[in-house]
mmCIF file of all heavy atoms in Angstrom:
data_model
loop_
_atom_site.group_PDB
_atom_site.id
_atom_site.type_symbol
_atom_site.label_atom_id
_atom_site.label_comp_id
_atom_site.label_asym_id
_atom_site.label_seq_id
_atom_site.Cartn_x
_atom_site.Cartn_y
_atom_site.Cartn_z
ATOM 1 N N ARG H 38 140.094 -176.175 44.979
ATOM 2 C CA ARG H 38 138.857 -176.303 45.735
ATOM 3 C C ARG H 38 138.803 -175.236 46.814
ATOM 4 O O ARG H 38 139.821 -174.739 47.282
ATOM 5 C CB ARG H 38 138.731 -177.691 46.360
ATOM 6 C CG ARG H 38 139.752 -177.994 47.454
ATOM 7 C CD ARG H 38 139.622 -179.430 47.920
ATOM 8 N NE ARG H 38 140.531 -179.742 49.008
ATOM 9 C CZ ARG H 38 140.694 -180.949 49.529
ATOM 10 N NH1 ARG H 38 139.977 -181.975 49.049
ATOM 11 N NH2 ARG H 38 141.550 -181.145 50.524
ATOM 12 N N GLN H 39 137.587 -174.904 47.185
ATOM 13 C CA GLN H 39 137.377 -173.919 48.227
ATOM 14 C C GLN H 39 136.283 -174.418 49.163
ATOM 15 O O GLN H 39 135.132 -174.564 48.760
ATOM 16 C CB GLN H 39 137.006 -172.560 47.639
ATOM 17 C CG GLN H 39 136.929 -171.452 48.668
ATOM 18 C CD GLN H 39 136.897 -170.076 48.032
ATOM 19 O OE1 GLN H 39 136.620 -169.940 46.851
ATOM 20 N NE2 GLN H 39 137.191 -169.068 48.822
ATOM 21 N N ALA H 40 136.671 -174.673 50.389
ATOM 22 C CA ALA H 40 135.738 -175.121 51.404
ATOM 23 C C ALA H 40 135.107 -173.912 52.090
ATOM 24 O O ALA H 40 135.672 -172.817 52.071
ATOM 25 C CB ALA H 40 136.455 -175.998 52.426
ATOM 26 N N PRO H 41 133.955 -174.095 52.707
ATOM 27 C CA PRO H 41 133.307 -172.982 53.399
ATOM 28 C C PRO H 41 134.216 -172.363 54.451
ATOM 29 O O PRO H 41 134.785 -173.064 55.289
ATOM 30 C CB PRO H 41 132.090 -173.640 54.052
ATOM 31 C CG PRO H 41 131.789 -174.814 53.181
ATOM 32 C CD PRO H 41 133.131 -175.315 52.740
ATOM 33 N N GLY H 42 134.368 -171.050 54.380
ATOM 34 C CA GLY H 42 135.181 -170.340 55.340
ATOM 35 C C GLY H 42 136.675 -170.442 55.130
ATOM 36 O O GLY H 42 137.444 -169.940 55.954
ATOM 37 N N LYS H 43 137.108 -171.067 54.048
ATOM 38 C CA LYS H 43 138.529 -171.222 53.777
ATOM 39 C C LYS H 43 138.884 -170.641 52.418
ATOM 40 O O LYS H 43 138.017 -170.408 51.579
ATOM 41 C CB LYS H 43 138.928 -172.699 53.835
ATOM 42 C CG LYS H 43 138.768 -173.331 55.204
ATOM 43 C CD LYS H 43 139.305 -174.735 55.219
ATOM 44 C CE LYS H 43 139.188 -175.342 56.603
ATOM 45 N NZ LYS H 43 140.018 -174.606 57.596
ATOM 46 N N GLU H 44 140.178 -170.423 52.217
ATOM 47 C CA GLU H 44 140.653 -169.900 50.948
ATOM 48 C C GLU H 44 140.769 -171.021 49.916
ATOM 49 O O GLU H 44 140.853 -172.201 50.253
ATOM 50 C CB GLU H 44 142.007 -169.211 51.135
ATOM 51 C CG GLU H 44 141.954 -167.963 52.000
ATOM 52 C CD GLU H 44 143.279 -167.238 52.056
ATOM 53 O OE1 GLU H 44 144.278 -167.793 51.569
ATOM 54 O OE2 GLU H 44 143.308 -166.119 52.570
ATOM 55 N N ARG H 45 140.774 -170.615 48.675
ATOM 56 C CA ARG H 45 140.930 -171.565 47.585
ATOM 57 C C ARG H 45 142.301 -172.231 47.662
ATOM 58 O O ARG H 45 143.317 -171.561 47.873
ATOM 59 C CB ARG H 45 140.757 -170.835 46.256
ATOM 60 C CG ARG H 45 140.798 -171.717 45.022
ATOM 61 C CD ARG H 45 140.413 -170.897 43.802
ATOM 62 N NE ARG H 45 141.191 -169.671 43.721
ATOM 63 C CZ ARG H 45 140.979 -168.714 42.839
ATOM 64 N NH1 ARG H 45 139.995 -168.832 41.949
ATOM 65 N NH2 ARG H 45 141.738 -167.621 42.836
ATOM 66 N N THR H 91 135.027 -181.879 51.420
ATOM 67 C CA THR H 91 133.861 -181.092 51.057
ATOM 68 C C THR H 91 134.281 -179.693 50.623
ATOM 69 O O THR H 91 134.954 -178.978 51.365
ATOM 70 C CB THR H 91 132.885 -180.999 52.233
ATOM 71 O OG1 THR H 91 132.389 -182.307 52.549
ATOM 72 C CG2 THR H 91 131.716 -180.099 51.894
ATOM 73 N N ALA H 92 133.891 -179.314 49.417
ATOM 74 C CA ALA H 92 134.283 -178.017 48.880
ATOM 75 C C ALA H 92 133.658 -177.838 47.505
ATOM 76 O O ALA H 92 133.116 -178.781 46.918
ATOM 77 C CB ALA H 92 135.803 -177.900 48.768
ATOM 78 N N VAL H 93 133.753 -176.627 47.003
ATOM 79 C CA VAL H 93 133.461 -176.369 45.603
ATOM 80 C C VAL H 93 134.757 -176.573 44.829
ATOM 81 O O VAL H 93 135.778 -175.966 45.157
ATOM 82 C CB VAL H 93 132.921 -174.947 45.377
ATOM 83 C CG1 VAL H 93 132.727 -174.678 43.893
ATOM 84 C CG2 VAL H 93 131.609 -174.762 46.124
#
Side-chain angles (χ1 to χ4, degrees):
R38 67 185 183 185
Q39 187 166 17
K43 296 186 178 296
E44 294 185 351
R45 184 172 51 187
T91 296
V93 176

